[in-house]
Amino acid sequence: MNITQGISCYPFPESYAEVPTVFIRRRDLYMTSAFREFIEVLKVHLPEAVFSEELSSAGGRPVDA
């Protein structure tokens, strides 16, 4: 596809409407303010999500919210 063809959208089956996603980052790399804000938005809108701080304080096990 090139720029003159535009963007095409296709419907997904309902079974693919939600998929688990894992974000992995290296702690020794700089975290941009945009990515930091993205993580904060996820924490607000996805309260059931498990974040690395929660895992490290629970000895590497997911914590119940």
Side-chain angles (χ1 to χ4, degrees), residues 26-56:
R26 289 180 48 166
R27 289 187 182 266
D28 61 336
L29 296 181
Y30 178 73
M31 182 187 287
T32 65
S33 60
F35 190 70
R36 188 175 9 265
E37 185 62 28
F38 175 69
I39 295 298
E40 291 305 312
V41 168
L42 290 179
K43 287 180 179 181
V44 170
H45 295 286
L46 297 173
E48 72 279 2
V50 176
F51 294 92
S52 63
E53 311 82 65
E54 296 168 356
L55 284 175
S56 59

